[in-house]
Amino acid sequence: MKKNLLLVAFVFSIFLLPQQVLAVEFSITNTEINALLQENGDVQVKEQHTYQFDSDFNGITRTLIPKEHTEITDFQAFENDRSLDIEQEENLFKIYRSGSEEEIQIDLSYTITNGVELYTDLGEFYWPFFDTNNESTYQNMDIFIHPPQETEDVLTLGYDEAYETSSIASDGIVHFAMGEVESGTIGDIRVAYDASLFPAADLKENKTIREDILADKAELKAKQEAYENRQDLLSRISPYIVSGLCIYLIALVMIGWRKKNSRLREVERSFMQSLFLPNQGLSLPATILYIRNMSVSSELVSAALLDLVRKGYVKRDSESKFVVVSSNTDFQHEKILIEWLFHKIGEKGVFSLADLDAYTKNKDNHSTYHSDFGKWREAVKEEVKQNHLFEKKKGVRWTAGIVSLLIIPFIIMLGVHSLFMWMIFSIFLSFSLLLFAIFYQPQTIQGVRIRQQCKQLSSNYENISENDWNESMSDEHMQAYIYAIGTGNKSMQKKFEHLSNNLSPTSKADSSLQTNDIVMFMLIASAINNQFDKADSTVSATTSNSGSVPGGGTGVGGGGGGSGAF
């Protein structure tokens, strides 16, 4: 479970951490754009951008993507009427003005050739000054459209961020007071004047467009009204939906908690104190895996090999060499482990730590090692599953999972309609229900009993006396020590070592293990654990991978742009 949580945290970190760690820190506090429409259809644009830098910088950038049949020409940049150096890379203009932690005001000017589209009744300027590629937020943006001459015949329309932000002055100048414009958004502006104001412009099409603009304006208004109606409806029903989902989640957690406590009380009523591992028909590796919440590590392999020695299927030939005595084991995963260690890594039923070191040093073997490790791991997991230590609860889990997925369209609708508070609550509930569906596997009575006995063993081991330990069977001692190795319980391992060093001569003589004595068994265990841990680290280093996520955006009619700094 811990590995799964770490994986989730790692995946989230990929998306949430900044893509450019060393990026310039800045904000665009104010932007004013004046577009002066010319009689020949060109548009002279003057922009003023105020930047607040909180770090060192070399300059600012302005991306201008022209629409079809238009062109950006005569681009210039000034600060206090002082010309600045410019470098152009296709549609990107880099304006050089270095400094550190200060506020600067840069004036830009350029011409959009054929920016006005002329029809028989109107000439319109339909332009995106920024698009989804824009990397920066404009904290305050004002756009002014100036006609060639004063006029009262004006049609204006704003899309997305520019919707209903326009006002018309008495002389025909249109002001789009857009306020804050977030990065990655669009906000096209559209202004149309009488065609007679553009006598030198080329006619684009021999048709009228007034009715088209008015129809677009009516359609946008209808869409906005429908949007506001949906927003109002969602705002009214969201408290009930979120509250219902919250109650459902709490009920699931409370029912699970009550059933867990009920099983725990039932186990405690029949529980007997013991200094040994539970005898519930599980192998020692399966018991360790269950106690580790199904998390497999190199320590478990070490414990499994030591258990083969304890059970007599494998004997120690020297300090670091082992020989198979019998392959007629009790469990399938023990057969797989013998085949893997003694016939693939080792040869002819003989395995040594030197074989393991040599095998894993060869990178060609890493894939095979990883695959064989996986087969053995799944076999141990299968034994745990066959003993029904967890309740499947498929109905409850599937229902919770389906509900969590059904919330996603609701979350999207809340986000689209700017109901962010309810969206955040809904995301939390959806994620919580999904986690419940994935991880909720309550333990059966047998599972609780095994876990309690193992917990009691770990707790009591701290207080065991040397006399009590000497009077016990050596095999049980070995099981406890192997359990400590497999679970990584350092406290139990130290206690075992302390007791072993003070083992009475009589107890040593009575040992039935194939090793010379308990102290030698400890030395073997330490060497095995260190070598498997090293092997696992070596293989893991060459079996990991990584990836990346692309992105992009565009504006209306192929035009657009944005601002930044470097």
Side-chain angles (χ1 to χ4, degrees):
M1 182 180 293
K2 290 182 180 178
K3 288 187 176 180
N4 289 333
L5 292 177
L6 288 174
L7 178 61
V8 171
F10 172 74
V11 172
F12 269 90
S13 69
I14 292 176
F15 293 98
L16 296 179
L17 289 177
Q19 294 293 319
Q20 296 179 348
V21 178
L22 301 178
V24 176
E25 296 182 10
F26 70 94
S27 57
I28 306 176
T29 57
N30 192 68
T31 294
E32 181 177 311
I33 299 176
N34 287 273
L36 289 74
L37 311 188
Q38 307 298 303
E39 292 183 353
N40 65 353
D42 293 345
V43 180
Q44 294 180 359
V45 182
K46 297 180 179 180
E47 299 183 359
Q48 187 176 81
H49 300 274
T50 303
Y51 277 71
Q52 177 63 54
F53 287 96
D54 297 319
S55 65
D56 296 339
F57 63 94
N58 294 312
I60 71 169
T61 63
R62 182 71 168 106
T63 302
L64 297 170
I65 305 174
K67 292 172 61 175
E68 190 176 358
H69 305 305
T70 68
E71 186 179 358
I72 304 296
T73 62
D74 195 26
F75 185 92
Q76 300 179 68
F78 303 89
E79 182 184 22
N80 298 326
D81 296 326
R82 180 173 63 88
S83 179
L84 300 175
D85 292 334
I86 299 168
E87 180 181 331
Q88 183 177 357
E89 300 175 1
E90 296 184 349
N91 297 318
L92 174 67
F93 296 88
K94 301 177 73 174
I95 299 95
Y96 285 88
R97 197 295 198 184
S98 61
S100 177
E101 298 184 5
E102 60 178 304
E103 182 180 88
I104 64 172
Q105 193 174 78
I106 303 298
D107 295 306
L108 308 177
S109 67
Y110 54 90
T111 299
I112 306 173
T113 58
N114 300 319
V116 176
E117 298 173 335
L118 185 64
Y119 299 88
T120 55
D121 58 341
L122 298 172
E124 73 167 357
F125 178 57
Y126 188 2
W127 195 261
F129 283 100
F130 55 90
D131 66 3
T132 55
N133 289 298
N134 179 38
E135 64 182 25
S136 309
T137 294
Y138 298 104
Q139 294 184 0
N140 183 63
M141 174 175 278
D142 293 286
I143 300 177
F144 297 89
I145 310 301
H146 302 258
Q149 301 176 22
E150 292 187 7
T151 181
E152 295 181 354
D153 186 10
V154 185
L155 286 179
T156 178
L157 188 57
Y159 298 85
D160 299 295
E161 294 292 314
Y163 181 73
E164 290 191 339
T165 63
S166 64
S167 60
I168 304 173
S170 58
D171 56 1
I173 297 175
V174 179
H175 175 204
F176 289 90
M178 300 177 65
E180 182 179 81
V181 177
E182 293 184 359
S183 60
T185 57
I186 56 177
D188 306 339
I189 57 100
R190 190 177 187 183
V191 178
Y193 297 99
D194 190 88
S196 61
L197 297 179
F198 307 97
D202 295 330
L203 188 68
K204 181 178 181 179
E205 287 188 57
N206 187 21
K207 70 172 187 177
T208 60
I209 61 167
R210 182 182 294 272
E211 294 303 320
D212 293 339
I213 296 175
L214 292 174
D216 282 355
K217 196 168 187 176
E219 182 181 357
L220 280 180
K221 184 176 181 181
K223 287 182 178 179
Q224 180 63 22
E225 289 177 351
Y227 172 87
E228 291 174 354
N229 290 335
R230 292 193 305 270
Q231 187 182 53
D232 180 64
L233 176 63
L234 287 169
S235 180
R236 285 187 283 109
I237 66 173
S238 290
Y240 299 100
I241 295 177
V242 172
S243 298
L245 291 170
C246 188
I247 292 171
Y248 174 59
L249 176 61
I250 292 173
L252 288 176
V253 174
M254 289 297 295
I255 291 172
W257 179 76
R258 288 179 61 186
K259 288 184 176 180
K260 177 182 177 181
N261 286 341
S262 175
R263 294 188 187 95
L264 188 59
R265 286 193 298 268
E266 183 176 345
V267 168
E268 288 176 347
R269 282 196 295 268
S270 59
F271 187 73
M272 296 181 62
Q273 298 288 341
S274 176
L275 293 175
F276 307 120
L277 287 171
N279 184 15
Q280 298 290 338
L282 272 182
S283 68
L284 192 49
T287 301
I288 294 170
L289 182 62
Y290 172 65
I291 295 301
R292 289 177 59 95
N293 297 314
M294 309 303 286
S295 174
V296 182
S297 68
S298 58
E299 294 168 335
L300 184 59
V301 186
S302 304
L305 177 57
L306 291 172
D307 196 46
L308 291 177
V309 176
R310 180 190 68 83
K311 295 172 72 173
Y313 296 121
V314 171
K315 70 176 182 179
R316 182 179 64 86
D317 189 50
S318 65
E319 186 173 338
S320 61
K321 185 178 290 186
F322 304 87
V323 179
V324 174
V325 175
S326 173
S327 297
N328 188 23
T329 59
D330 299 322
F331 300 95
Q332 180 63 26
H333 59 78
E334 292 175 331
K335 291 183 173 63
I336 294 175
L337 185 64
I338 289 174
E339 176 64 26
W340 175 30
L341 298 183
F342 291 85
H343 297 284
K344 279 195 174 182
I345 296 176
E347 290 184 0
K348 300 178 180 179
V350 178
F351 167 77
S352 69
L353 299 184
D355 292 335
L356 179 62
D357 186 52
Y359 188 85
T360 54
K361 280 184 177 179
N362 186 348
K363 290 186 178 181
D364 294 338
N365 295 328
H366 287 187
S367 178
T368 303
Y369 183 97
H370 187 73
S371 175
D372 291 335
F373 180 87
K375 290 178 183 178
W376 172 79
R377 175 189 61 208
E378 292 306 314
V380 180
K381 286 184 177 181
E382 185 61 30
E383 184 195 344
V384 177
K385 292 177 183 178
Q386 290 175 354
N387 279 269
H388 307 293
L389 303 180
F390 297 101
E391 293 186 24
K392 295 182 179 180
K393 292 292 183 181
K394 289 184 178 180
V396 175
R397 295 172 65 191
W398 271 104
T399 302
I402 291 172
V403 171
S404 72
L405 296 178
L406 290 177
I407 300 174
I408 294 177
F410 179 65
I411 293 171
I412 295 173
M413 290 181 65
L414 291 173
V416 169
H417 292 83
S418 302
L419 299 173
F420 299 116
M421 182 185 73
W422 296 117
M423 182 187 74
I424 292 171
F425 288 155
S426 299
I427 290 173
F428 171 77
L429 290 169
S430 177
F431 191 65
S432 299
L433 287 170
L434 184 61
L435 289 178
F436 181 90
I438 293 172
F439 295 111
Y440 180 61
Q441 284 185 301
Q443 302 169 66
T444 61
I445 293 293
Q446 182 185 6
V448 174
R449 182 174 291 111
I450 292 174
R451 193 172 292 275
Q452 285 299 106
Q453 287 177 323
C454 289
K455 181 179 178 181
Q456 195 68 38
L457 169 67
S458 300
S459 177
N460 288 344
Y461 221 76
E462 290 291 323
N463 303 317
I464 186 174
S465 67
E466 293 178 9
N467 290 334
D468 291 337
W469 200 75
N470 287 334
E471 292 174 357
S472 303
M473 295 176 61
S474 296
D475 188 61
E476 274 73 14
H477 291 324
M478 294 304 101
Q479 289 189 58
Y481 185 64
I482 293 170
Y483 171 83
I485 290 289
T487 56
N489 192 321
K490 302 300 182 183
S491 178
M492 281 185 66
Q493 292 178 42
K494 289 181 179 179
K495 185 68 174 182
F496 185 92
E497 292 166 6
H498 170 74
L499 293 170
S500 298
N501 291 331
N502 293 280
L503 185 64
S504 67
T506 303
S507 298
K508 288 184 179 181
D510 292 339
S511 176
S512 61
L513 290 174
Q514 293 172 329
T515 52
N516 289 336
D517 52 33
I518 293 178
V519 176
M520 181 59 70
F521 189 86
M522 286 192 312
L523 295 175
I524 294 171
S526 177
I528 290 173
N529 198 39
N530 290 336
Q531 192 61 49
F532 273 110
D533 187 56
K534 179 182 176 183
D536 185 61
S537 299
T538 302
V539 173
S540 297
T542 57
T543 54
S544 58
N545 51 54
S546 61
S548 59
V549 181
T554 185
V556 67
S563 300
F566 64 99

